[in-house]
Each structure stands twice: as C-alpha cells, then as structure tokens.
Amino acid sequence: MFRNNYDNDAVTFSPQGRIFQVEYAQEAVKQGSVVVGLVNKTHAVLVGLKRNAEELSSYQKKIIEIDSHMAIAIAGLASDARVLSNFMKQQSLGSKMTYGRPIPLDRIVAQIGDRAQTNTQHYGKRPYGVGLLVAGVDEAGPHLFEFQPSGLTHEMVACAIGARSQMARTYLERNLDKFQDCSRDELIQHGLSALKETLSQDKELTIDNTSVGVVGVTNGKKESFKLYEGQDTAALLEVLEQRESAGAEGESMEVDS
Amino acid sequence: MVEYAVKAVENGGTAVGIRCKDGVVLAVEKIITSKLLKPGANKRIATVDRHVGIVSAGLVPDGRHFVSRARDEASSWRSTYKGPIPTSAIANRLGGYVQAYTLYSSVRPFGVTAIVGGWDTEAELPVDGQVGNGPKSGSGGKVEGAKAGGPGLYMIEPSGLYWGYYGAATGKGRQAAKAELEKLDLSSGNLSLADGVKEAARIIYVAHEDSKDKEFELEMTWISSVDGPTKGRHEEVPKEILEEAEKAAKRALEGDDEEEEDKGEGEQMEE
Amino acid sequence: MNHFPEAWGRPRNDVYGAYDHSYLQTSGPKAHTSSPAVTGTSVVGVKFNGGVAIATDNLASYGSLARFSDVKRLRNFGDKAMVGFGGDVSDMQYLDRLLDSMDIKENYSHHGNMLNAKNLHTYLAKVFYKRRSEFNPLWNHVLVAGFDGQGEPFLSSADLLGTTFSAPHLATGFGAHLAVPILRRKFPEGTPLEQVSKEDAVEALKECLKVLFYRDARSADKYSIAVITKDGIDLKEDEQIQGQSWAFAERIRGYGAQTA
C-alpha cells in the first residue's frame, strides 16, 4: 500500500525533498476525466468530458459556474472541488458586495492556492484531491489558470488535466498560434478538438457527455459565463463533425499535392 | 527533516539578490516547463508592503505562504508603528516564523530559501495618516543632518537561519552564482544599481549554463533609493532595461567562449 | 502645599452653579463617540468634461477654536482617486491609513485590476454603515472623486450613517447649504458634462470656498484643491483665497467699528 517510509502524511519530506502525499493527490487528478481550457484575446473556454458511474446513472458535473465572470472545470475528487468552489463563490460574492467589483482572477486563484498549501504543511490535514482549471474575465481581460493539489497555480494560454490529458495538451501545443486571434466559436471548436483527442477508440463526444463553458469580453463589453450542456451542445458538436471531415479532406489533399 | 527540506530548495530555479550602493536587485531563473504557460505571467518575485521584495527557491506554494506571512508582518508593523517596516525587522520576524516550523511534529519545515531585499527610506516620511505639520519653530527633537535608511538584503533558510548579504544566491545554480557574486567585490559598496541589474542578469545566465537544454524566462525586480528610478519602491525592472541586461548577459557568455579562442590574436593586436 | 486636589476646593456653587455630573456617568449603556472633537468643515467637488475637481480648506477646528491651520483634508488613493474629508480629523486619519493599506494590497500584483473611485466609494460607504450599525460611527462626511469602471468622471458622497448620494457637483457640511446653491446656479440641472470645462469647475470651486470663508466661522482661507483627469492627479495643498473683500463687514454689528 505504501511506497516507502516517507508517505504516511503530508508533513514528511523524503530524503530527496519530495512530499509523497502531495504526489499521490496529483494521481487522483490524473484519474479524473479530462477537462480542457483555453484562452485567446477575447474569450476563455472550458470543455469537459463527463462520466457516469453506470449506464443508468446521471453524469458527474465537470464545469461549475462561480460567478457571472468566472467558472471552474474539475478533474479528481468532485467533493473536494465542491469545497473549493463554495469558497470561491463566497469570495467572489464578497468582492462584489464590498467593492462592487468582480473579483480579479489572479486574486481568487492565489487564495485557493494558499488554502491548498496549508493542507500540505499541517499534520492531520490532507491535500485536496482535485485539479482545477479556472477560467474567467476581469479588468485585465480573459484568463485561464491551472490549480494543482500542491497549491501550485499557473496562468496558462491553454491547458488540459485529467485522464489521457497529454493527448489534448499535444493538440493544444500544436495549435497554439491559431488560438490568439480566432473567434469565440473557433476557440470552442479548438477546445472540443483537443477533448476529442483524449478519447479512447470506442468513445465519442455526445450531447450527454460533453460540457462547454464560455466567458468573454468583446470591445470592453463583458459576456457573462454561459454553460452548454445536453441539447445545447448539439450544434457545437455538429460543427465539430463538419470541421473534422473537412479537415480530413484538406489533409489528404495536401498529401496528394 | 530540515536537511530534507533543503533538498527541495536545491532543485528550484536559481534566485539571486544583489545589494548595491543605491538599491537592491532581485532576479530569478524561471524554467519554462510547458509551452502552454502564459509568457510573462506567473511572477515569482513578490512585493511586500511597498519597499520590500521577496524571491525564493524551492517549493513554490511554500514560497507563497512565506510571502503571505511577510505581508501580514509588514501590515501589522504599520498598524503599530504607522510606518514601513525596516528590512532588518522583517527578515528577523520571518526568520522566527520559519524556525517555528522546525519545532513541532504537527508541521513540516518550509521547503524554501528566500531572499528578502528592501530599501529603508533615507528621507523623513510623514507618519501614516499624518495630516499636516506643526509650526516651523519651537520645540522639537530632530537631529540635523542625521543619516538613516539604505539597502537591505537577507537570505532565510528552511532552518530559520538568516544572514545579511551583499550578494545572495540560492536554488539549483547557486554554486556558480555565488562564485560570480564573489568576483564583484560587493563589500566595498561601489556597485551602482544600474550595473547591479546587468550583473544579476548575467549571473542568472551563467548559472543556467548547467541546464542549458531547458528554456527559461528571466524575472527581475529592483528597489532604488528615494531619489532613484523606483523612488524607494519595489518594482519590476522596466522591460527595456531588462532586455538590455539580457542582451549584455548573452554577449558576455558568448564573449567568454570566444576569449579563449581569440587569445593569441588579441595579444598580437596589442603589439 | 496641599497635595490633595479634593481639598483645593472648586468653583463656588453660588457663582458657577452646581457641578454637572452628567458628564461623568459611570452607569447606564456603554457609549462610543457621540460627538466629534477636532473637525474639518466643508468639502466641495465638481465634475467637468474629462475629470473631477475637489477642494477643502486646510483648517482643523477644536470646537470653535481654529486649532490646526495646516491640515490636509484631501487624501489620495494611489494615483487613481481622491477622498475629501469633512468631520472628525482622527477618524479621517484612521480611514486614511485604511486606504493606505488597501492601496498596498492592491499593488501586490499589477495586472491592471486596480480599484477605481467608484469601488472605493462603495467600500467606504460599507465601512461607514457597518460602524454606525455598531453604534460606533466614524464621524465623517466624505466626497470620493475619480473615475468609474467605464472611465467616466465619478463624484459621490458618503456620510457617517452610510448614506450615499451622487450628483455632478456636491458639497458636505456647511457647503451643502452654501456652496450647492451656487453650483446649481452655475451649472443648472441638465447641463451636459461636455459643456463644463476644467477651468469652469476650478473657478466655481474657488468661488464656493470664498463664500464659505465669508460665512462659515469654522473655515479658513488656506485651501487645497485637486484636479483629477486621465493624466493623473494635480494636487495643490497650499493655496490662498484670492480677492477677498470684507468691506461689507463694516456695516455688520459685531464685526465693524461700531461701539454700540
């Protein structure tokens, strides 16, 4: 069960200066189903692959709206994510209440980062078993942050976490240059394409297992967070299919010439 | 345990601080672990109050915890003394805080070594909230021409141990960086802030030589005297100056390689 | 000398009346500040095309005594906003330190998410309201000047009760009675902001301060004025009211040369 002597709790360093409990928590993130996030100059997009425990059960929510300007996508323990999202909702509401200002993204991300760090330095606590992608807009424009159980947070231009997320990251790295100036709808499509990369052979993106969240700002006007689920995703998936078939043709043509 | 925590530090990106005659420079090497990271974001040098900066090597979240404590200390100092905390005092308090985390089995030590740089103002500041001045004449306890303030640089280790430094380095490339710092003769107090910025950039580049295959971003901040470019505040080094320093650093590195090859030629030229 | 003060005697009851013990209540409900001590008088502010101008005099009174003649009642919040304080000076100092600590926190990161004047006003009003709800009010009436989230000039007031009020021109304290009518005449209701120049606004403030100095016994003729535009804050703290004429006072009984 234990890898060695240094992994019983989160307050023990290994002789190499590692904290195994935190690394195990990171494992929990890798077991969660995949979520992808990406930003360009105007929008931030989250897409997620929902899982159901069994055929007849409902799907686990992957994208949670925090406020009209921000949402998170989760990979890992959903119950830990709920603790964090409740905290974020409170902070966000607090900022609107006291200053009349939507909370800046870097602030709230730093706050959950600090909370997670505390769990890695005190005996009797355990690290959060969840990774988050935080997407939203503030005065400085759209942002995407990655949050890890260690308390590490990074601002990203695109990111994917969860099972088989490496495939999505590869897609994102390859298409990085295309995001920056693309339209809102194209950004969503890039997100879906990245998500699709992670699927195993027998799986498909359907209106039941796909979640899409978008928030943005165009010409100084804020576009509130919108979540697409179920039937709402049908149109998006249709476009994806068209693009893929067109893309496949395009590629083969290139090969011909 | 503390020894193991030090191991965590030894693998962090190199961080250096230089105490110059008219300011302090902080610099850190940020290894780019992914192409998807937003360039220029993800700052690693933090501002505490207005006049203090902290850079750390080791576990980044622990570094953030450390900074958050530093900010609390600075703010509590202000609420007691109605003025900015001296760099020496904040280093002392943080040293005590870090040490406390080595005392108990319920917590683990900090996995960071932090460099704290600051400028204690040499000007006479109004007390926070001061609304005006009394009459120019009359009783008073001022000593004419008394000099106060100046640069401060401290490095705090996971054990809680801290020293004041002329030049401090920590993280992966600290050995190379220390060797370079020692060449600068900082104790004589002649290095200017402007030159310090260039040296700090160069030292980060030198220290990076051992892990050359990895790309990195250089982040630098500075704190000048009250009549200097930052007016006693801790700020990012402006983009133009940073780029200039990076260019010079790259040139210096290339120069080092060429020097050895060109030696014979150079001697001939002199004749 | 007798070192027991109680044996020194006290002002004679037949001359001064019995001592009023109501000042030294030791029983009854706990009371916080129920009156201000050292006070500043009016604050005046006017919005103009592209910014806001705000002014106060430099006096802090102790009751009717002109106690401190060099008191800066215009306080800046970073380089974004100005707050003009009327009312208790020590409460002003408390709030100034509060704003200072907020400004420090705002500058930990600089990614373009700075609190603007409107955010600041929202916050200050909440502070006032919280304190008055604790029956421990901060005895001030403030004007907050700067820009809102849309980059439009912003001017609004908040008082010790947490009441907020906003208008193109505002004044607190005595100025609410004496300066506002002047400003309303100068800039009638419905005047578009585009038609009010910076010079008009500054001129109007100076005139208001002069009238206030004539009629408000707790005012002074040294003043501070701040003009806030997109370029920043232009703050002058050592100004003097110009062109005073006290000729009219000659004819006022109690001021002039009349002896009876």
Side-chain angles (χ1 to χ4, degrees), chain A residues 11 117 120-121 123 155 157, chain B residues 1 36 42 62 65 106 108:
Chain A
V11 298
Q117 194 279 341
T120 71
Q121 205 171 11
Y123 187 81
E155 180 160 13
V157 281
Chain B
M1 268 281 269
L36 298 178
N42 301 306
D62 283 21
H65 174 191
S106 57
R108 64 169 171 79

Side-chain angles (χ1 to χ4, degrees), chain A residues 55-167:
Chain A
E55 192 79 10
L56 296 174
S57 76
S58 65
Y59 286 81
Q60 175 65 46
K61 219 160 126 180
K62 295 296 283 180
I63 300 176
I64 302 170
E65 177 174 346
I66 301 297
D67 201 340
S68 59
H69 73 295
M70 168 172 59
I72 58 169
I74 62 177
L77 303 182
S79 42
D80 282 11
R82 201 158 54 242
V83 172
L84 285 168
S85 66
N86 283 346
F87 172 75
M88 292 172 83
K89 284 174 187 175
Q90 277 174 15
Q91 293 298 317
S92 192
L93 221 50
S95 177
K96 272 201 178 151
M97 176 80 187
T98 40
Y99 304 106
R101 165 175 82 165
I103 196 163
L105 271 275
D106 60 337
R107 284 263 180 117
I108 195 158
V109 170
Q111 284 178 356
I112 56 170
D114 291 351
R115 265 180 76 122
Q117 194 279 341
T118 311
N119 291 351
T120 71
Q121 205 171 11
H122 293 264
Y123 187 81
K125 298 198 175 194
R126 65 161 175 84
Y128 289 115
V130 69
L132 304 181
L133 296 179
V134 185
V137 285
D138 58 26
E139 292 297 309
H143 299 279
L144 173 72
F145 286 87
E146 181 197 6
F147 160 90
Q148 293 174 287
S150 60
L152 258 186
T153 60
H154 289 294
E155 180 160 13
M156 316 290 285
V157 281
C159 190
I161 53 171
R164 298 166 62 90
S165 57
Q166 183 54 49
M167 321 287 270

Side-chain angles (χ1 to χ4, degrees), chain C residues 6-145:
Chain C
E6 62 272 27
W8 295 350
R10 52 170 305 279
R12 287 161 53 186
N13 280 1
D14 55 331
V15 177
Y16 296 98
Y19 186 75
D20 180 2
H21 287 279
S22 67
Y23 290 110
L24 291 167
Q25 289 286 329
T26 50
S27 59
K30 184 182 168 191
H32 294 290
T33 317
S34 52
S35 67
V38 178
T39 59
T41 181
S42 321
V43 187
V44 209
V46 178
K47 281 206 263 192
F48 59 85
N49 188 12
V52 194
I54 182 171
T56 65
D57 68 24
N58 290 349
L59 180 70
S61 310
Y62 181 62
S64 58
L65 174 70
R67 180 63 184 83
F68 302 102
S69 55
D70 178 28
V71 169
K72 312 294 159 41
R73 296 195 289 123
L74 289 181
R75 316 299 294 181
N76 66 304
F77 177 71
D79 53 359
K80 296 282 168 194
M82 288 301 285
V83 186
F85 285 87
D88 194 276
V89 170
S90 58
D91 285 349
M92 166 179 97
Q93 290 178 301
Y94 167 80
L95 284 168
D96 189 40
R97 287 194 284 262
L98 192 68
L99 296 184
D100 209 32
S101 77
M102 275 171 63
D103 181 56
I104 289 171
K105 288 196 181 88
E106 278 294 290
N107 283 292
Y108 286 157
S109 67
H110 23 87
H111 299 301
N113 279 299
M114 299 300 289
L115 289 172
N116 56 42
K118 191 175 182 190
N119 299 142
L120 189 66
H121 175 259
T122 308
Y123 175 72
L124 277 175
K126 296 254 144 67
V127 173
F128 281 127
Y129 181 70
K130 177 170 184 287
R131 289 291 295 263
R132 86 101 206 218
S133 300
E134 291 166 356
F135 290 94
N136 188 194
L138 291 163
W139 217 282
N140 299 103
H141 193 167
V142 303
L143 294 189
V144 183

Side-chain angles (χ1 to χ4, degrees), chain A residues 108-225:
Chain A
I108 195 158
V109 170
Q111 284 178 356
I112 56 170
D114 291 351
R115 265 180 76 122
Q117 194 279 341
T118 311
N119 291 351
T120 71
Q121 205 171 11
H122 293 264
Y123 187 81
K125 298 198 175 194
R126 65 161 175 84
Y128 289 115
V130 69
L132 304 181
L133 296 179
V134 185
V137 285
D138 58 26
E139 292 297 309
H143 299 279
L144 173 72
F145 286 87
E146 181 197 6
F147 160 90
Q148 293 174 287
S150 60
L152 258 186
T153 60
H154 289 294
E155 180 160 13
M156 316 290 285
V157 281
C159 190
I161 53 171
R164 298 166 62 90
S165 57
Q166 183 54 49
M167 321 287 270
R169 281 200 296 277
T170 308
Y171 173 90
L172 293 169
E173 279 179 28
R174 279 210 195 108
N175 294 278
L176 209 53
D177 304 334
K178 296 181 195 159
F179 301 160
Q180 277 306 299
D181 298 298
C182 77
S183 72
R184 170 190 189 276
D185 296 340
E186 279 166 343
L187 196 65
I188 296 174
Q189 291 304 320
H190 279 298
L192 288 170
S193 298
L195 191 67
K196 201 170 178 187
E197 293 285 322
T198 70
L199 298 177
S200 51
Q201 287 287 315
D202 55 333
K203 285 263 178 63
E204 263 186 279
L205 290 181
T206 67
I207 59 165
D208 294 319
N209 69 10
T210 311
S211 282
V212 178
V214 193
V215 61
V217 55
T218 26
N219 302 327
K221 248 190 90 138
K222 281 191 185 148
E223 175 187 329
S224 288
F225 177 75

Side-chain angles (χ1 to χ4, degrees), chain C residues 10 50 86 92 150-151 236 242 255:
Chain C
R10 52 170 305 279
M92 166 179 97
Q150 275 67 250
K236 296 197 193 92
Q242 300 296 327
Y255 282 93

